[in-house]
Amino acid sequence: MRKLCLGVLLCALLLCAACQGTGNQEEQQAASYQEAMAKAQTIQVQDAAGQTVDTLSQQEEIATFLEELDLGHWTYWEAAPQAQPLGTFVFLEASTIKLGQTEPDGWVETCRLTLYPEDTITLEILGLTLTFTLEEAAWGTLATRLPS
């Protein structure tokens, strides 16, 4: 009987340790999204009509922009936004230079952020479209990058 109780207790402890060992999934997902976004060599800022109004191409600008996103505090939202988008941020990296080329052929879109009213954003990455709510400060910082 004593061995049975110890066995059950050991299984319970292992199960608890395994659950805690995975860490916070939201933080892990945010880190993987940020890693994909950090590969961008250019970020196009587009207005609601899809016209490019600004381009971030310096690595310092891109790093600052990624910090402003505050990905660790995004909250997944199951409902798709019903409002009209305010603007879009398109993350681009140079296409792969192939044998015999000295310059890349163009740009490849790695992800796209679309900003909506009421602190909502959609992230299109790796073939997925995800909706999140942002903290007001992060949303406001993104909104100021768009034309009024």
Side-chain angles (χ1 to χ4, degrees):
M1 184 67 160
R2 186 174 176 185
K3 287 182 182 181
L4 179 63
C5 288
L6 286 174
V8 171
L9 181 61
L10 181 61
C11 287
L13 287 173
L14 288 174
L15 184 60
C16 288
C19 290
Q20 291 178 355
T22 60
N24 185 343
Q25 284 186 332
E26 289 178 1
E27 288 178 11
Q28 290 174 353
Q29 286 177 338
S32 72
Y33 298 151
Q34 188 160 9
E35 186 178 306
M37 290 178 192
K39 293 179 183 178
Q41 296 167 317
T42 298
I43 300 174
Q44 290 180 347
V45 180
Q46 299 177 349
D47 63 11
Q51 299 296 316
T52 301
V53 295
D54 192 13
T55 302
L56 308 175
S57 55
Q58 300 296 319
Q59 285 304 313
E60 288 179 13
E61 290 178 310
I62 293 171
T64 300
F65 181 80
L66 290 174
E67 287 177 24
E68 291 171 353
L69 290 177
D70 194 18
L71 287 172
H73 292 100
W74 289 16
T75 304
Y76 180 70
W77 189 257
E78 291 184 22
Q82 301 299 318
Q84 293 287 24
L86 301 174
T88 304
F89 302 90
V90 181
F91 292 69
L92 304 165
E93 67 180 337
S95 61
T96 303
I97 298 175
K98 295 177 180 69
L99 185 63
Q101 292 179 320
T102 56
E103 295 291 322
D105 283 346
W107 298 95
V108 176
E109 184 176 321
T110 57
C111 72
R112 178 179 292 256
L113 295 175
T114 304
L115 192 67
Y116 293 90
E118 299 181 13
D119 304 340
T120 306
I121 195 166
T122 58
L123 168 64
E124 296 174 43
I125 189 168
L126 304 172
L128 300 171
T129 301
L130 307 167
T131 304
F132 296 92
T133 56
L134 283 68
E135 289 193 353
E136 191 173 329
W139 185 90
T141 301
L142 291 175
T144 59
R145 290 187 174 273
L146 299 171
S148 300

